Amino acid sequence: MKRLCRLFIGVALSVALVAGMLGSLDRLYPMAPIPAVSTVVLAEDGTPLRAFPGANYQWRYPITLGQVSPTYLELLLAYEDRWFYQHPGVNPLALLRASWQNLLSERVLSGGSTLTMQVSRLLYPHARSYSGKLSQILRALQLEWHYSKAEILNIYLNIAPFGGTLSGVQAASYYYFDKPAIQMSDAEAALLTVLPQRPSDYRPDRHPQRARQARDKVLQRMQSLGLWSAQRINDARQEPVSTFAQGMPNVAPLLARRLYLDCADCRRINTTLDYDLQIQLERLVNQYTESLSEEHSVAVMVMRNQDGAVRSYIGSADFWSQKRAGQVDIIQAVRSPGSTLKPFLYGFSLDEGLIHSHSLLIDAPRFKSHYRPQNFSGFFNGPVTASSALQRSLNVPAVQLIEHFGADRFVTRLQNGGLKTFGPGSAKPNTSVVLGGIGVQLESLLGIYSALARNGKAISPRFQTDSPKQERYLMSSGAAWIIRDILAQHPYRRIGQQTRQGWDLAWKTGTSYGYREAWAMGVSLDWSIGVWVGRPDGSASPGRYGRVTAAPLLFRVHAALPRSEVERLQPESVSRQTICWPAGTQHSRRENTAPNCLKRYDAWVLNDTAPATLPETSELTLHKQVNQIWLDPVSGKRAEPACLPDHRLQPVLITLWPEAVEPWLPLHWQNQQRLPPWDTRCQQNAGTAESPLHITSWPENALLQLPGAHRTEALDVILNAKGGSGHRDWYLNGGYIGRSENGLPYQLTRAGRYQISVVDQQGNVDRVEIRVLP
């Protein structure tokens, strides 16, 4: 018994001594760190979009055992190390066999290395010598001491060499076969099994014949071991050695770079992008840019409204183009939005009860205002509906509207809804913000546009699958529905036509000051789409504007997206009502008699409220209503009880047009014609009668021609008007050109269409349109 105890103690001490020695050696020769794998940015389905190299600039796509084809693992173990799960890192029989083969041939034919020893050589490179082999063996034992078999096999899958800077089976599978390692065929798995033995000689893209011979050698091994059937091996041999080697992937490179810079330590970044859609739209953008100059770039972003997942991200037209500044990510760049913010002003105004869809707004020169924007066309349209003003992106009605709503409130509402704003217009908002006097980013702008299809709730774009949903209230569901309905006009039909059938895209264009940016934003039930076209350096692109430059690309992107079968449900807060102009209220109201209801519209009304035409402002009379006048029932003339106390006068309600729109009205609608003349006995109540202000230089639509032999000299004209009161201020296409008591000399230097307007000291207005021929 004592001898047995002494023996047990001796064995235990020996084991402890060996363990201590091994532990000391382990501390003296610590494990090398596992080489860092590449950071791979992946599409939603796992397809690599772009990779960033790991240690030593090697392309190593991170992979686990579960992401590799079982066929590949079967071939690898059968060909390289059948006893991998049984040996302690070194297979003595394999070493003896290799030594005997090398001795007989008098050269090195085999190293007898296990997979663990191969991992050891990759982590601790050494010369092909006996001392090097000994070091390899010791390091293999050390690996087995520290790692499980599954971990060692996984290290091999990530760092094995496959030619050039390719390391790891996942990078090799994508590079050579354009598919993930889990989808490899039998023949492809056999080729990648043998390739690490001689990666330079067996590369299929450079030496396809050698690669085939090496592959067939692996397949033959499976037959000799009886692991595969002859039929399966023959089928694999019939497969040609082909490769799709196209270099490293570079899909959505700007988004990949952006996410990598945000998390350089991440090894796998899973995005929400749809790989096939991204490829399709990148090709579409490449085709579209052929019609642009070499200095122009394009940005496109597509977001799924349901969850905010970004399905396509194209930050520039050509990532590698220096002329297009392709590495500038326009989606993140701060740019002027042009008119793309107008829909939200109209939506907020609907919620505030300022307007309905067909409220009367004024598109006329702002004669008494310091801020006098012009329309893109250079012309004015007089009285317009809110819907028409938004669809046609008229500037003056939008400025009039923001003066009532408030620029500060407008920007604050946008910010609360998720829009990031930049620049002086953000810090101190003024009326110009609605025309682009503020800085925004495409991605943030797209987020608030999604509210038009999400019952008024905006959602922030999500780029990664694990990013949370972030929603913010922007406007009511009724206001969002009305605005989307207004904007859902078919691009190839006349504005104002019914366009619901077969068209589900609400869209809005914008052009920043000086033609620097061309925008097109679109929203359907499922998708929000943003398109930008311009020069990345911010220089002007004359002739390039939203409707002709960005909108066509928007429509092509929209056509490439799957359509939803979901119906557009009208919110309960929205109803259709007949309203009257110029009052702007329901046709059923008492004051909207036939003489006062000069024009009718079927309007979308929110919460059964049809607000009256906006009241006058300090800048421009928007609405002027005479609540009640008195008529002599005998003469039919206008009177006052004070001057005809003995007469039974009849009270009459008459709604008048805003004075600013009178030049655009038919003569019989103008206020002078609609108000009855004063009774002579009450003439003092009328004040001094003035004849109407009237331009006498030319009739409406007059044709003029530039003089000179080549018709390039200036045309001298005299601007004259009759009637009115006091001095006259003259405007050309809304721009001030001078003041006169009588005639105003002027020179027309260019051919084109002109609107000439005059306003007298009392605010009376007249205008004519002329055309100057070249």
Side-chain angles (χ1 to χ4, degrees):
M1 187 67 180
K2 291 182 178 180
R3 292 178 60 189
L4 185 62
C5 289
R6 285 196 294 271
L7 178 62
F8 178 79
I9 292 172
V11 171
L13 290 174
S14 299
V15 171
L17 180 62
V18 171
M21 292 176 61
L22 291 175
S24 298
L25 288 172
D26 195 46
R27 286 191 294 273
L28 289 173
Y29 300 97
M31 295 287 296
I34 306 301
V37 296
S38 303
T39 296
V40 183
V41 183
L42 306 169
E44 189 181 50
D45 63 357
T47 305
L49 299 171
R50 188 182 179 188
F52 298 87
N56 300 320
Y57 296 97
Q58 293 289 303
W59 298 101
R60 299 184 179 97
Y61 294 1
I63 194 171
T64 62
L65 290 176
Q67 296 171 323
V68 183
S69 166
T71 299
Y72 174 77
L73 295 176
E74 182 185 6
L75 287 165
L76 180 66
L77 294 177
Y79 188 74
E80 292 286 359
D81 194 350
R82 293 179 62 196
W83 309 107
F84 175 72
Y85 286 104
Q86 285 74 39
H87 62 67
V90 178
N91 188 339
L93 295 177
L95 286 175
L96 289 173
R97 183 178 66 251
S99 299
W100 179 251
Q101 290 174 347
N102 297 338
L103 183 63
L104 289 178
S105 63
E106 297 182 351
R107 61 191 178 91
V108 177
L109 291 178
S110 173
S113 296
T114 63
L115 280 175
T116 308
M117 293 172 66
Q118 293 183 46
V119 172
S120 171
R121 188 181 72 248
L122 292 171
L123 293 176
Y124 309 95
H126 60 79
R128 296 177 72 87
S129 63
Y130 288 109
S131 60
K133 179 61 69 172
L134 178 61
S135 172
Q136 183 184 14
I137 291 172
L138 293 175
R139 287 295 191 179
L141 294 173
Q142 189 181 33
L143 285 170
E144 295 278 350
W145 175 276
H146 283 275
Y147 297 106
S148 68
K149 290 289 186 180
E151 290 172 329
I152 293 172
L153 184 56
N154 199 72
I155 294 173
Y156 177 85
L157 296 177
N158 279 277
I159 69 173
F162 286 90
T165 57
L166 287 175
S167 294
V169 67
Q170 184 77 309
S173 181
Y174 271 112
Y175 184 84
Y176 292 123
F177 310 133
D178 195 28
K179 63 174 67 173
I182 200 168
Q183 295 178 8
M184 288 189 293
S185 67
D186 289 349
E188 291 165 344
L191 177 57
L192 293 195
T193 295
V194 71
L195 187 55
Q197 288 190 352
R198 296 170 61 183
S200 296
D201 293 339
Y202 292 161
R203 284 184 61 161
D205 57 334
R206 295 183 180 178
H207 310 291
Q209 188 60 35
R210 293 179 196 169
R212 186 185 188 97
Q213 293 172 356
R215 179 202 71 180
D216 291 349
K217 183 180 177 181
V218 176
L219 295 173
Q220 182 61 39
R221 175 70 61 84
M222 299 303 287
Q223 184 174 9
S224 62
L225 293 175
L227 297 177
W228 282 9
S229 68
Q231 180 64 44
R232 183 176 182 182
I233 291 172
N234 288 334
D235 290 343
R237 280 177 171 167
Q238 296 302 314
E239 187 174 317
V241 173
S242 58
T243 177
F244 297 91
Q246 299 292 330
M248 293 300 105
N250 197 46
V251 180
L254 289 171
L255 175 63
R257 182 185 70 184
R258 171 182 180 175
L259 298 179
Y260 171 70
L261 293 176
D262 286 343
C263 188
D265 294 332
C266 297
R267 295 296 166 239
R268 186 191 307 272
I269 299 176
N270 299 297
T271 74
T272 59
L273 262 58
D274 182 323
Y275 183 83
D276 291 336
L277 179 63
Q278 178 72 21
I279 292 293
Q280 181 182 3
L281 295 188
E282 284 187 2
R283 290 172 180 168
L284 186 64
V285 167
N286 287 337
Q287 294 172 359
Y288 193 75
T289 52
E290 292 178 1
S291 63
L292 304 174
S293 74
E294 293 182 345
E295 291 77 24
H296 279 84
S297 189
V298 173
V300 175
M301 185 167 156
V302 177
M303 182 181 71
R304 187 168 57 200
N305 292 330
Q306 178 184 359
D307 57 1
V310 174
R311 305 297 279 165
S312 181
Y313 187 111
I314 302 173
S316 69
D318 183 353
F319 182 73
W320 301 113
S321 172
Q322 291 185 354
K323 289 185 177 180
R324 298 189 193 277
Q327 299 199 21
V328 175
D329 188 356
I330 299 298
I331 288 176
Q332 294 187 84
V334 176
R335 300 284 174 168
S336 165
S339 295
T340 58
L341 297 181
K342 287 178 182 175
F344 306 103
L345 173 62
Y346 284 78
F348 299 160
S349 298
L350 282 165
D351 275 334
E352 290 292 316
L354 293 176
I355 60 171
H356 48 70
S357 70
H358 285 68
S359 286
L360 168 60
L361 296 177
I362 308 305
D363 184 36
R366 296 165 53 83
F367 299 118
K368 298 181 181 180
S369 173
H370 293 294
Y371 184 51
R372 295 194 291 264
Q374 294 185 0
N375 293 320
F376 188 80
S377 65
F379 291 88
F380 299 93
N381 302 274
V384 292
T385 66
S387 294
S388 177
L390 179 55
Q391 289 171 345
R392 299 163 70 178
S393 199
L394 301 178
N395 289 336
V396 174
V399 170
Q400 293 164 349
L401 202 53
I402 199 171
E403 286 177 342
H404 281 271
F405 187 83
D408 284 320
R409 290 182 62 210
F410 178 58
V411 173
T412 300
R413 286 280 295 271
L414 290 174
Q415 292 170 337
N416 290 340
L419 182 68
K420 296 179 181 178
T421 59
F422 304 87
S426 175
K428 295 182 178 180
N430 55 47
T431 52
S432 69
V433 298
V434 75
L435 304 185
I438 198 170
V440 302
Q441 296 169 312
L442 190 153
E443 62 183 64
S444 181
L445 183 60
L446 192 66
I448 63 170
Y449 260 87
S450 68
L452 300 181
R454 303 185 75 257
N455 296 317
K457 289 184 179 179
I459 190 166
S460 298
R462 295 171 51 246
F463 303 113
Q464 295 179 251
T465 53
D466 57 355
S467 299
K469 289 172 56 176
Q470 295 182 344
E471 298 176 301
R472 293 190 179 187
Y473 175 85
L474 187 66
M475 65 182 73
S476 70
S477 60
W481 190 93
I482 292 174
I483 295 301
R484 191 158 71 89
D485 186 84
I486 291 172
L487 295 178
Q489 50 174 317
H490 197 287
Y492 306 114
R493 297 183 184 173
R494 182 172 55 83
I495 290 176
Q497 263 188 308
Q498 194 65 253
T499 60
R500 299 296 156 264
Q501 297 180 353
W503 185 259
D504 66 339
L505 182 71
W507 58 284
K508 180 73 183 72
T509 59
T511 307
S512 65
Y513 178 77
Y515 295 93
R516 288 175 172 81
E517 346 273 344
W519 296 85
M521 308 297 295
V523 181
S524 66
L525 284 175
D526 293 315
W527 307 102
S528 292
I529 310 166
V531 173
W532 177 96
V533 181
R535 297 176 187 261
D537 63 2
S539 58
S541 302
R544 302 284 186 182
Y545 55 95
R547 194 175 186 93
V548 301
T549 305
L553 181 56
L554 171 71
F555 303 143
R556 295 185 193 181
V557 172
H558 172 242
L561 301 174
R563 302 294 181 90
S564 173
E565 300 297 329
V566 180
E567 296 182 2
R568 300 171 68 251
L569 297 178
Q570 180 176 325
E572 293 182 359
S573 59
V574 176
S575 60
R576 197 71 135 165
Q577 294 187 20
T578 301
I579 62 96
C580 288
W581 269 18
T585 52
Q586 293 101 325
H587 177 257
S588 58
R589 289 184 53 155
R590 181 177 66 89
E591 65 271 20
N592 286 331
T593 58
N596 283 334
C597 194
L598 301 181
K599 202 165 188 177
R600 300 181 187 180
Y601 286 103
D602 289 330
W604 292 120
V605 170
L606 192 60
N607 299 319
D608 290 325
T609 301
T613 297
L614 289 171
E616 67 180 45
T617 68
S618 59
E619 307 292 349
L620 185 67
T621 299
L622 289 178
H623 177 64
K624 178 179 179 181
Q625 178 173 322
V626 178
N627 291 323
Q628 180 174 285
I629 64 172
W630 299 89
L631 296 181
D632 183 347
V634 178
S635 65
K637 294 184 178 181
R638 190 173 173 185
E640 288 287 346
C643 63
L644 296 178
D646 299 329
H647 288 63
R648 301 185 61 182
L649 301 180
Q650 178 182 355
V652 177
L653 294 176
I654 295 183
T655 305
L656 299 181
W657 290 94
E659 293 178 359
V661 306
E662 290 231 319
W664 285 266
L665 296 176
L667 183 61
H668 64 281
W669 277 5
Q670 293 181 5
N671 293 335
Q672 289 277 8
Q673 302 298 319
R674 297 186 61 238
L675 284 172
W678 283 94
D679 188 289
T680 54
R681 290 165 292 181
C682 298
Q683 190 65 48
Q684 68 276 11
N685 295 87
T688 304
E690 297 286 351
S691 60
L693 183 64
H694 177 62
I695 295 175
T696 58
S697 300
W698 313 279
E700 183 73 4
N701 295 320
L703 289 178
L704 308 180
Q705 195 165 52
L706 294 175
H710 299 285
R711 299 193 177 104
T712 57
E713 299 177 12
L715 177 64
D716 294 316
V717 297
I718 301 295
L719 303 180
N720 276 315
K722 290 184 178 180
S725 174
H727 60 249
R728 303 181 179 99
D729 289 312
W730 293 89
Y731 298 82
L732 185 71
N733 290 342
Y736 182 76
I737 58 175
R739 175 175 291 180
S740 72
E741 296 293 338
N742 296 308
L744 177 70
Y746 192 72
Q747 285 188 331
L748 297 173
T749 59
R750 298 177 59 185
R753 297 189 64 88
Y754 294 93
Q755 268 189 3
I756 296 175
S757 307
V758 63
V759 57
D760 68 10
Q761 203 163 351
Q762 300 300 320
N764 299 308
V765 181
D766 191 31
R767 65 101 181 141
V768 295
E769 288 190 12
I770 64 172
R771 183 180 177 189
V772 178
L773 301 178

